[in-house]
Amino acid sequence: MSLLTDAVRISSADPPLNYDSPAALRAFLEAQGLGMRKRLGQHFLINPRARGHLLDALDLSPGEGVWEIGPGLGAMTFGLLEQGLRVRAFELDSGFCQVLTQLFGDNPRFCLVPGDVLKTWPQAGDERYLLGNLPYTIGSRLVGALIEGRRFFTRMVVLLQRELVQRMIARPGSKDYSSFSVLCQSFYTMSPLSVLKGPSFYPAPHVDSQGLRLELRADVRPDSYSPLFQPLVRRLFASRRKTINHNLYDYVVSTILKTGGLEAQEFTRKALERCGIPENTRAEALDGETFAALAALLEGMKLHI
Ligand code: SAM
């Protein structure tokens, strides 16, 4: 406990803890009776330049509000509050929550949301920016859930497993292109940031991480998307080696007509023809706009059945 009280007595411009030193973090955790939980993807970012780059990429002015996902012991929370931002921090580890409350609880610009962010985010506030060194365990699920739940941010800056970043930014026709790429690219313009190796973290993970900035696309109106869009994209990628004709037929049979045979074949053929998609194309060759057009067309055709 004394480590913390000594720490918070120092000047408000100094971090309350030495966030760059594994030895200091270990000693602090020990003094608090806390440990690290691998299951929660706990890897502190101990590289101050990398933390600075992420905060710079967020590029906010004092007074703006930001969600911070998985603040841990508050290394980046400190930086956000120092910039005069309002921070809504989502943390699952109850020991870390206690530390965060002791460190930042008196700051009226800090608000802690304890618990699993996958469950707590739908009830949280309307801040327009998001920052997070996301735990590997929930990175894709959280980004996917926010987009599918139509909870959009003007800008998000996240640190993720490098492979996941590659999948999110993959272009049509490449091996990493997936339904998740389509989902992310349909709503956000993404810029990959630096790759970070194990030693930038404590404890060091076995995989590389990479920063990613996501800017909400100004040319897209999320509410114009058909509700069929996401299920359709997922379905068309489910058997990615099969042609779109085959996968769309399955989708039409199971979701739209509820029966197979000639009628479903004709329905599928017409939809592809009206969208200008050759029958032997594979989903991996299509971009987000084409999927969106196909979903909108199917929705219209469904109304006329
Ligand atoms: N932000 C700190 C840093 O950069 O040093 C810690 C990042 S660490 C990779 C991920 C953090 O997310 C941990 O503090 C972990 O407890 C928290 N976490 C893991 N799963 C979570 C969940 N489902 N909801 C909220 N926080 C979670």
Side-chain angles (χ1 to χ4, degrees):
M1 195 61 220
S2 67
L3 271 170
L4 177 59
T5 36
D6 287 351
V8 284
R9 257 186 238 127
I10 59 182
S11 133
S12 70
D14 290 323
L17 267 172
N18 183 351
Y19 290 114
D20 311 339
S21 156
L25 291 170
R26 250 193 320 268
F28 176 78
L29 288 170
E30 206 178 297
Q32 298 285 313
L34 299 175
M36 298 290 277
R37 294 202 269 170
K38 205 172 169 188
R39 180 174 71 73
L40 296 187
Q42 293 176 343
H43 298 279
F44 296 136
L45 183 55
I46 55 171
N47 175 339
R49 281 190 51 186
R51 290 200 302 269
H53 284 154
L54 294 172
L55 292 171
D56 288 349
L58 199 57
D59 191 22
L60 297 184
S61 309
E64 309 229 62
V66 56
W67 282 16
E68 188 191 357
I69 312 300
L73 297 181
M76 291 201 285
T77 320
F78 172 76
L80 293 168
L81 291 170
E82 276 298 297
Q83 289 185 6
L85 300 166
R86 290 179 291 109
V87 180
R88 194 179 297 279
F90 298 76
E91 177 54 61
L92 177 56
D93 187 304
S94 56
F96 292 0
C97 284
Q98 276 177 26
V99 171
L100 292 163
T101 303
Q102 291 173 60
L103 294 178
F104 308 113
D106 288 344
N107 189 324
R109 287 183 285 108
F110 176 77
C111 165
L112 180 64
V113 184
D116 180 353
V117 64
L118 292 170
K119 298 190 179 128
T120 55
W121 75 261
Q123 293 84 44
D126 59 0
E127 288 77 8
R128 289 166 38 222
Y129 300 92
L130 180 149
L131 176 76
N133 171 11
L134 298 185
Y136 295 144
T137 40
I138 63 160
S140 60
R141 267 190 296 158
L142 178 64
V143 174
L146 291 171
I147 298 179
E148 294 197 12
R150 296 289 189 265
R151 174 55 170 104
F152 293 108
F153 293 82
T154 304
R155 188 175 308 122
M156 303 199 271
V157 173
V158 285
L159 198 53
L160 295 163
Q161 208 167 328
R162 187 181 188 182
E163 283 74 24
L164 179 59
V165 170
Q166 295 309 311
R167 278 205 286 130
M168 291 165 77
I169 63 174
R171 300 304 300 159
S174 69
K175 74 170 173 30
D176 287 334
Y177 191 58
S178 66
S179 57
F180 194 47
S181 326
V182 175
L183 186 65
C184 297
Q185 291 170 26
S186 294
F187 300 101
Y188 287 100
T189 302
M190 289 177 285
S191 321
L193 306 171
S194 310
V195 172
L196 296 175
K197 301 274 183 193
S200 282
F201 302 89
Y202 170 74
H206 297 300
V207 292
D208 292 347
S209 300
Q210 186 165 19
L212 183 68
R213 183 172 53 208
L214 302 96
E215 299 270 348
L216 191 61
R217 286 176 52 173
D219 60 331
V220 166
R221 276 191 28 244
D223 55 3
S224 69
Y225 272 70
S226 159
L228 299 187
F229 173 68
Q230 277 134 232
L232 175 73
V233 173
R234 253 199 302 268
R235 193 60 179 266
L236 296 187
F237 270 97
S239 310
R240 60 185 290 154
R241 301 315 304 163
K242 295 193 176 148
T243 63
I244 192 142
N245 186 41
H246 183 283
N247 288 343
L248 183 59
Y249 172 84
D250 283 351
Y251 178 80
V252 166
V253 170
S254 63
T255 313
I256 300 184
L257 294 182
K258 316 270 191 228
T259 169
L262 274 180
E263 192 192 352
Q265 280 171 19
E266 189 52 16
F267 190 98
T268 305
R269 193 193 59 73
K270 261 193 208 150
L272 291 175
E273 189 184 277
R274 287 186 194 166
C275 264
I277 303 171
E279 289 186 11
N280 57 0
T281 309
R282 294 200 166 88
E284 63 200 27
L286 304 178
D287 61 16
E289 280 70 32
T290 309
F291 283 111
L294 182 59
L297 182 91
L298 290 173
E299 203 188 336
M301 288 173 74
K302 199 174 158 188
L303 290 177
H304 293 99
I305 295 171

